[in-house]
Amino acid sequence: MSGLAVAAAWQVLLAPETADLSAREVHLATARAEVAKAAAVAQQLPRVTREIASLEQALDRTTAVLPDEKDAQDVLRQLHTLASDSALNLSSFTPKPVVVKPQYTEWPIELGLEGGYHDLGRFFDRIAGLPLLISVSDLHLKAASQPGGRGSVTVSCVATTYVFNHAASAGTTGGVR
């Protein structure tokens, strides 16, 4: 009978504890796996932090080239200064309608310039050196028709500057601020 008493005691007292112990071992194994996974992620934190800093620097450089809003006064002042420094006369400045793209907006400006041929080359070189992104297209060059004019060529072109579109890059729709 003592064998039967031991078997009964086993069923009543120890079997539930064994099942509980097995469940706890499974829970412990799961917790250890999660800790190992979290440790692996934590090891990547310095690399991710460096990547974020690098991306923030790239964004700062980009926003220096692509301003947050269009400023006609600033662009006119910069182009006028460049033209004067290049011995050119800025005879016309005509903003054209903006063209909205997914992450930026193109802002074309029709320019009229008068001056020397080599002065024009200096002007374009100085535009290329600006921190503001400006592209020049539709260049039309003519010999000056008036002998007493300021220079030897009359130029018309479209200078396009770009404005960063925060709303579109954030996933919402929007235009120029």
Side-chain angles (χ1 to χ4, degrees), residues 97-154:
V98 297
V99 179
V100 179
K101 300 287 183 168
Q103 292 186 340
Y104 63 93
T105 300
E106 294 179 357
W107 183 38
I109 304 161
E110 191 172 305
L111 298 177
L113 301 161
E114 296 174 355
Y117 178 78
H118 295 288
D119 299 330
L120 181 65
R122 269 194 301 276
F123 175 73
F124 290 144
D125 185 53
R126 288 179 174 159
I127 283 179
L130 283 176
L132 180 67
L133 181 61
I134 297 178
S135 65
V136 177
S137 62
D138 299 331
L139 181 65
H140 299 283
L141 188 70
K142 291 192 270 184
S145 58
Q146 297 178 355
R150 171 132 180 185
S152 59
V153 294
T154 302

Side-chain angles (χ1 to χ4, degrees), residues 3 13 19-20 23 37 41-42 65 79 83 93-94 104 114 126 128 139 142:
L13 298 175
D20 186 45
K37 190 175 174 182
V41 169
V65 173
L79 290 174
F93 180 92
T94 310
Y104 63 93
E114 296 174 355
R126 288 179 174 159
L139 181 65
K142 291 192 270 184

Side-chain angles (χ1 to χ4, degrees), residues 51-73:
E51 284 181 25
I52 289 171
S54 173
L55 291 171
E56 286 175 343
Q57 289 174 351
L59 179 62
D60 289 343
R61 287 189 304 270
T62 301
T63 54
V65 173
L66 294 177
D68 291 337
E69 51 189 49
K70 80 177 190 181
D71 184 359
Q73 295 287 339

